Amino acid sequence: MRLTQATIAIISLFAVAGTAQASIFMYDDASDLDTTAKKEWDASAELGLLFTSGNTETETLKAKLNLARDFENWRHKGVIDYYRSEQVDQNTGDTITTGDKTFLSGQSNYKFSPESRSSLFVFGSYEEDKFSGYEYQGTLAIGYGARYRYNEKIYADYEIGPGYSMSKPIVGGVPQEQETSAILRLAGNLVWDVSKNSKFNALASTEVGSDNTKTRAEASISANINSSLALKLSIAGTHNSFLEDSTKEKLDTETAVTLVYTF
């Protein structure tokens, strides 16, 4: 297995987590969330639009839906993320699609007890992005997770476990045969309530396979406009260590400003 710099960085997160309890004051998981009173799902929807005209005419759409629930022994979360960008060719007047990506993921954690910081997780994801060099990429993984609260404003989740990946490469615009591989999934997520009206979130994951290592990372900060609306700035990146189509870039990045509605 080939380890990228991003992979090594995430492995370091787990090493830090293992020693943090001895050096930083921890809160019990019962302080993280009221697991006995919270019975409903938390949901938020994001939307960002960008239009340009004149010498360059473009349209960009960014939409995202987040679902989460933490109740007694279970913690669930799901994500639907969509991005599309189009540009008009000034010479022909044709509309050219320059970006079209859909990402879905879902995860459930079973906590050993409502107050436990340790859990077992099942994770699944599916992505379609033909501009990445793959028609699709999918992952299924299981393993061990732990949540640490460093103070009343900061907590982090760490996860590690084996899994299975499937993908269909595209070479020269032609889809190839589906490829499968055993993987090791490492993931970390940090949440920081910077103030009463702002929040910082950073997440990173890597799926280490024999042929390809896929790494995703995102950092965002949001500021509340009112009790339901917030403005969010995010920077995200996806990296594949190996692409069969050598004309494709291994790293795709995305910077977005979106409105977030919580309901």
Side-chain angles (χ1 to χ4, degrees):
M1 293 185 181
R2 296 187 290 272
L3 297 180
T4 64
Q5 291 182 347
T7 304
I8 295 172
I10 293 178
I11 294 175
S12 300
L13 286 175
F14 287 89
V16 172
T19 59
Q21 189 171 4
S23 60
I24 302 178
F25 181 73
M26 297 289 183
Y27 284 67
D28 290 335
D29 273 5
S31 302
D32 293 351
L33 293 169
D34 188 348
T35 56
T36 60
K38 189 173 184 179
K39 299 183 180 181
E40 302 299 326
W41 287 83
D42 285 336
S44 65
E46 299 180 29
L47 181 63
L49 298 170
L50 175 63
F51 301 94
T52 66
S53 61
N55 293 321
T56 302
E57 295 184 20
T58 62
E59 297 180 3
T60 302
L61 168 66
K62 162 78 174 177
K64 189 174 184 179
L65 176 66
N66 290 278
L67 299 171
R69 185 175 189 248
D70 195 313
F71 179 60
E72 294 182 345
N73 289 79
W74 288 96
R75 184 162 57 239
H76 308 288
K77 57 184 177 181
V79 176
I80 302 175
D81 195 351
Y82 179 71
Y83 172 85
R84 184 177 179 86
S85 179
E86 296 180 345
Q87 181 173 331
V88 176
D89 189 317
Q90 298 297 310
N91 295 321
T92 64
D94 295 335
T95 299
I96 304 170
T97 301
T98 57
D100 191 352
K101 179 172 68 175
T102 301
F103 175 79
L104 310 172
S105 72
Q107 179 170 324
S108 290
N109 288 61
Y110 176 76
K111 295 176 284 185
F112 299 141
S113 70
E115 296 79 22
S116 175
R117 65 167 53 97
S118 298
S119 64
L120 297 176
F121 76 86
V122 177
F123 171 86
S125 69
Y126 179 81
E127 180 180 70
E128 286 188 0
D129 183 2
K130 296 181 180 180
F131 292 91
S132 69
Y134 289 92
E135 185 172 286
Y136 62 78
Q137 291 178 287
T139 299
L140 180 64
I142 61 174
Y144 171 79
R147 169 168 289 187
Y148 289 97
R149 180 169 283 279
Y150 297 101
N151 56 49
E152 70 272 12
K153 294 185 177 182
I154 302 175
Y155 73 86
D157 293 319
Y158 303 94
E159 296 165 353
I160 183 171
Y164 180 81
S165 72
M166 62 193 74
S167 62
K168 177 173 281 191
I170 296 178
V171 179
V174 179
Q176 308 298 300
E177 293 295 324
Q178 177 178 281
E179 298 178 348
T180 60
S181 174
I183 60 169
L184 175 65
R185 175 177 167 81
L186 302 166
N189 181 37
L190 173 70
V191 178
W192 175 21
D193 292 324
V194 180
S195 69
K196 182 179 178 180
N197 296 312
S198 61
K199 177 180 289 188
F200 174 80
N201 186 281
L203 60 89
S205 66
T206 190
E207 297 160 0
V208 185
S210 57
D211 297 321
N212 180 48
T213 295
K214 182 180 179 180
T215 302
R216 293 173 56 89
E218 179 179 331
S220 66
I221 187 164
S222 60
N224 293 342
I225 299 173
N226 55 39
S227 59
S228 299
L229 278 178
L231 188 65
K232 177 181 175 182
L233 170 64
S234 62
I235 301 174
T238 302
H239 181 271
N240 288 282
S241 65
F242 174 77
L243 294 176
E244 292 193 17
D245 190 342
S246 59
T247 64
K248 297 290 186 179
E249 294 287 341
K250 294 181 178 180
L251 175 64
D252 290 322
T253 62
E254 178 184 308
T255 302
V257 177
T258 55
L259 277 176
V260 182
Y261 177 71
T262 303
F263 51 94

